[in-house]
């Protein structure tokens, strides 16, 4: 059972470089999310997608972009990385963003540790 | 707007002792509340959740939490700690309704240490 697969697991990146973090899920979940985890701050939502073809901004979207061309994939792109984007990035999914069937439970990948120098 | 405050960034207990991790939330609408656990170098996994109904909810690994609306709290407890409970625990809240379900607001996290 794969669930959510993130790649790379770890990356060191020079400031100013472009980087795409990949996220693929095999649960056919409609909604997907990107969070960043920083010590003492918990997890903060970067971007989300309620369904394929739609995206939205979370709490800390600046410097990041996402796309949702299909149900399974939700890549996160840093157009020009800066040191403050050093963090652990988690992709997550839930079965639906709409309706009472969804109770907000998220399924997480194992994270991508990014260091920007 | 909603927010979550976890009281204590580090909690240390002896094996077999009571575990109590504190969480207070603020929300302008009825909340859904969650506890997630993160083991080292892993993603988060759900321990338990409160949506509606019974205010005392039981989760995996012997954990439970009680939703107290009057106190805006959702504290996590376990009667007897085990070494395998050592991890970081996150309390989270989402709005009940609309398209807000999966957009959780997380607390800062509490690292639980269990010593022999």
């Amino acid at each position: 059972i794969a669930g959510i697969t993130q790649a790379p697991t770890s990356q060191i990146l020079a400031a100013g470089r472009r980087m795409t973090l990949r996220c693929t899920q095999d649960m056919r979940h409609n909604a997907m999310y990107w969070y960043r985890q920083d010590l003492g701050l918990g997890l903060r939502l970067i971007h989300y997608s309620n369904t394929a073809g739609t995206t939205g901004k979370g709490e800390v979207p600046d410097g990041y972009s996402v796309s949702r061309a299909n149900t399974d994939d939700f890549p996160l792109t840093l157009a020009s990385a800066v040191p403050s984007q050093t963090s652990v990035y988690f992709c997550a999914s839930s079965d639906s963003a709409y309706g009472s069937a969804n109770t907000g439970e998220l399924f997480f990948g194992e994270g991508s540790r990014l260091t920007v120098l | 707007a909603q927010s979550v405050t976890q009281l204590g960034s580090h909690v240390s207990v002896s094996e077999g002792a009571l575990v109590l991790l504190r969480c207070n939330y603020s929300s302008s609408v009825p909340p859904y509340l969650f506890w997630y656990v993160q083991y080292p170098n892993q993603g988060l996994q759900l321990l338990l959740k409160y949506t509606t109904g019974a205010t005392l909810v039981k989760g995996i690994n012997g954990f439970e939490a009680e939703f107290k609306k009057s106190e805006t709290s959702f504290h996590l407890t376990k009667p007897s700690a085990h070494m395998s409970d050592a991890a970081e625990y996150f309390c989270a809240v989402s709005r009940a309704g609309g398209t807000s379900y999966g957009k959780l607001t997380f607390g800062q996290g509490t690292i639980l240490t269990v010593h022999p």
Side-chain angles (χ1 to χ4, degrees), chain A residues 37-90:
Chain A
Q37 182 180 22
D38 301 290
L39 189 64
L41 297 177
L43 282 79
R44 293 177 293 168
L45 182 64
I46 305 171
H47 284 287
Y48 65 92
S49 169
N50 289 335
T51 189
T54 70
T55 63
K57 294 182 179 180
E59 180 183 356
V60 288
D62 293 344
Y64 306 95
S65 64
V66 292
S67 61
R68 187 87 183 279
N70 57 61
T71 297
D72 298 341
D73 300 301
F74 191 45
L76 176 73
T77 297
L78 290 68
S80 179
V82 296
S84 62
Q85 292 178 309
T86 294
S87 186
V88 181
Y89 292 87
F90 287 97

Side-chain angles (χ1 to χ4, degrees), chain A residues 27-40:
Chain A
M27 298 174 283
R28 306 302 295 171
H29 283 174
N30 283 320
M32 297 187 74
Y33 313 85
W34 275 105
Y35 285 86
R36 60 177 288 174
Q37 182 180 22
D38 301 290
L39 189 64

Side-chain angles (χ1 to χ4, degrees), chain A residues 33 35 37 98-99 102-103 106, chain B residues 34 36 38 49 99 101 104:
Chain A
Y33 313 85
Y35 285 86
Q37 182 180 22
Y98 302 93
N102 179 286
T103 56
L106 300 185
Chain B
F34 307 82
Y36 283 83
Q38 183 181 31
K49 62 187 176 187
T99 61
Y101 288 112
L104 301 184

Side-chain angles (χ1 to χ4, degrees), chain B residues 49-71:
Chain B
K49 62 187 176 187
Y50 167 79
T51 55
T52 59
T55 57
L56 181 63
V57 293
K58 297 183 184 299
I60 61 173
N61 301 336
F63 284 93
E64 61 182 38
E66 186 172 11
F67 169 58
K68 292 187 176 181
K69 184 178 179 181
S70 62
E71 299 177 8

